[in-house]
Coordinates of all heavy atoms in Angstrom, one line a residue:
G512 N 18.0 -90.3 -37.2 CA 18.9 -91.3 -36.7 C 19.0 -92.4 -37.6 O 18.7 -92.3 -38.8
R513 N 19.4 -93.6 -37.1 CA 19.5 -94.8 -38.0 C 18.5 -95.8 -37.6 O 18.2 -96.0 -36.4 CB 20.9 -95.3 -37.9 CG 21.9 -94.2 -38.4 CD 23.3 -94.8 -38.7 NE 24.0 -95.0 -37.5 CZ 25.3 -95.5 -37.6 NH1 25.9 -95.7 -38.7 NH2 26.0 -95.7 -36.5
E514 N 17.9 -96.5 -38.6 CA 16.8 -97.4 -38.4 C 17.2 -98.8 -38.2 O 18.1 -99.3 -38.9 CB 15.9 -97.4 -39.6 CG 14.8 -96.3 -39.5 CD 13.8 -96.4 -40.7 OE1 13.0 -97.4 -40.7 OE2 13.9 -95.6 -41.5
V515 N 16.6 -99.5 -37.2 CA 16.8 -100.9 -37.1 C 15.5 -101.6 -36.8 O 14.5 -101.0 -36.4 CB 17.7 -101.2 -35.9 CG1 19.1 -100.7 -36.1 CG2 17.2 -100.6 -34.6
S516 N 15.5 -102.9 -37.1 CA 14.3 -103.8 -36.9 C 14.7 -104.8 -35.8 O 15.6 -105.5 -36.0 CB 13.9 -104.5 -38.2 OG 13.8 -103.6 -39.3
T531 N 19.0 -109.2 -34.8 CA 18.5 -107.9 -35.3 C 18.7 -107.8 -36.8 O 19.4 -108.7 -37.4 CB 19.3 -106.7 -34.7 OG1 20.6 -106.9 -35.0 CG2 19.0 -106.7 -33.2
A532 N 18.1 -106.8 -37.4 CA 18.2 -106.6 -38.9 C 18.1 -105.2 -39.2 O 17.6 -104.4 -38.4 CB 17.2 -107.5 -39.6
A533 N 18.5 -104.8 -40.4 CA 18.3 -103.5 -40.9 C 17.6 -103.6 -42.3 O 18.1 -104.5 -43.1 CB 19.6 -102.7 -41.0
Y553 N 19.8 -106.7 -44.1 CA 20.9 -107.5 -43.6 C 20.7 -107.8 -42.1 O 20.0 -107.0 -41.4 CB 22.2 -106.9 -44.0 CG 22.4 -105.5 -43.5 CD1 22.9 -105.3 -42.2 CD2 22.2 -104.4 -44.3 CE1 23.1 -104.0 -41.7 CE2 22.4 -103.1 -43.8 CZ 22.8 -102.9 -42.5 OH 23.0 -101.6 -42.1
P555 N 23.2 -109.3 -38.7 CA 22.6 -108.4 -37.8 C 22.8 -106.9 -38.1 O 23.6 -106.6 -39.0 CB 23.4 -108.7 -36.5 CG 24.8 -109.0 -37.0 CD 24.6 -109.7 -38.3
S556 N 22.1 -106.0 -37.5 CA 22.3 -104.6 -37.6 C 23.7 -104.3 -37.1 O 24.2 -105.0 -36.2 CB 21.3 -103.9 -36.7 OG 21.9 -102.7 -36.3
T557 N 24.4 -103.4 -37.8 CA 25.8 -103.1 -37.4 C 25.9 -102.0 -36.3 O 26.9 -101.7 -35.9 CB 26.6 -102.6 -38.6 OG1 25.8 -101.6 -39.3 CG2 26.8 -103.8 -39.6
I558 N 24.7 -101.4 -36.0 CA 24.8 -100.3 -35.0 C 24.4 -100.6 -33.6 O 24.5 -99.8 -32.7 CB 24.1 -99.0 -35.6 CG1 22.6 -99.3 -35.7 CG2 24.6 -98.6 -36.9 CD1 21.7 -98.1 -35.7
L559 N 23.8 -101.7 -33.4 CA 23.2 -102.0 -32.1 C 24.3 -102.7 -31.2 O 24.8 -103.8 -31.6 CB 22.0 -102.9 -32.2 CG 20.7 -102.2 -32.7 CD1 19.6 -103.2 -32.7 CD2 20.4 -101.0 -31.8
S560 N 24.5 -102.2 -30.0 CA 25.4 -102.9 -29.1 C 24.6 -103.8 -28.2 O 23.3 -103.7 -28.2 CB 26.1 -101.8 -28.2 OG 25.2 -101.1 -27.5
D561 N 25.2 -104.6 -27.4 CA 24.5 -105.4 -26.5 C 23.7 -104.6 -25.5 O 22.6 -104.9 -25.1 CB 25.4 -106.4 -25.7 CG 25.9 -107.5 -26.6 OD1 25.4 -107.7 -27.7 OD2 26.9 -108.2 -26.2
D563 N 22.5 -101.6 -26.1 CA 21.3 -101.1 -26.8 C 20.2 -102.1 -26.7 O 19.0 -101.8 -26.5 CB 21.6 -100.8 -28.3 CG 22.5 -99.6 -28.5 OD1 22.4 -98.7 -27.6 OD2 23.2 -99.6 -29.5
L564 N 20.5 -103.4 -26.9 CA 19.5 -104.4 -26.9 C 18.8 -104.6 -25.5 O 17.6 -104.8 -25.4 CB 20.1 -105.8 -27.3 CG 20.3 -105.9 -28.8 CD1 21.0 -107.1 -29.2 CD2 19.0 -105.7 -29.6
I567 N 16.5 -101.7 -25.3 CA 15.3 -101.9 -26.1 C 14.3 -102.9 -25.4 O 13.1 -102.7 -25.4 CB 15.7 -102.4 -27.5 CG1 16.4 -101.2 -28.2 CG2 14.6 -102.9 -28.3 CD1 17.2 -101.6 -29.5
L594 N 12.6 -99.3 -35.1 CA 13.1 -98.3 -34.2 C 14.0 -97.3 -34.9 O 14.8 -97.7 -35.8 CB 14.0 -99.0 -33.1 CG 13.3 -100.0 -32.3 CD1 14.3 -100.9 -31.6 CD2 12.4 -99.4 -31.3
M595 N 14.0 -96.1 -34.5 CA 15.0 -95.1 -34.9 C 16.0 -94.9 -33.7 O 15.5 -94.6 -32.6 CB 14.3 -93.7 -35.2 CG 15.2 -92.7 -35.9 SD 15.6 -93.2 -37.6 CE 14.3 -92.3 -38.5
M596 N 17.3 -95.1 -34.0 CA 18.3 -94.9 -32.9 C 18.6 -93.5 -33.0 O 19.4 -93.0 -33.9 CB 19.5 -95.8 -33.2 CG 19.1 -97.3 -33.1 SD 18.3 -97.9 -31.6 CE 19.7 -97.7 -30.4
T597 N 18.1 -92.7 -32.1 CA 18.3 -91.2 -32.1 C 19.4 -90.9 -31.1 O 19.8 -91.7 -30.3 CB 17.0 -90.4 -31.8 OG1 16.8 -90.6 -30.3 CG2 15.8 -90.9 -32.5
I713 N 29.5 -108.6 -43.8 CA 28.3 -108.2 -44.6 C 28.7 -108.0 -46.1 O 27.9 -108.3 -47.0 CB 27.7 -106.9 -44.0 CG1 27.0 -107.4 -42.6 CG2 26.6 -106.3 -44.9 CD1 26.2 -106.4 -42.0
L742 N 26.5 -99.2 -44.6 CA 26.0 -99.8 -43.4 C 25.4 -98.7 -42.5 O 26.1 -97.8 -42.1 CB 27.1 -100.6 -42.7 CG 27.6 -101.7 -43.6 CD1 28.7 -102.4 -42.9 CD2 26.5 -102.6 -44.0
K743 N 24.1 -98.9 -42.2 CA 23.5 -97.9 -41.4 C 23.1 -98.5 -40.0 O 23.3 -99.6 -39.7 CB 22.2 -97.4 -42.0 CG 21.4 -98.3 -42.8 CD 20.2 -97.6 -43.4 CE 19.2 -98.7 -43.8 NZ 17.9 -98.2 -44.3

Side-chain angles (χ1 to χ4, degrees):
R513 298 196 284 183
E514 271 186 71
V515 293
S516 308
T531 59
Y553 56 84
S556 150
T557 49
I558 62 160
L559 288 179
S560 64
D561 288 348
D563 289 330
L564 287 174
I567 290 166
L594 301 164
M595 189 73 92
M596 299 304 290
T597 72
I713 291 191
L742 299 180
K743 34 182 200 173

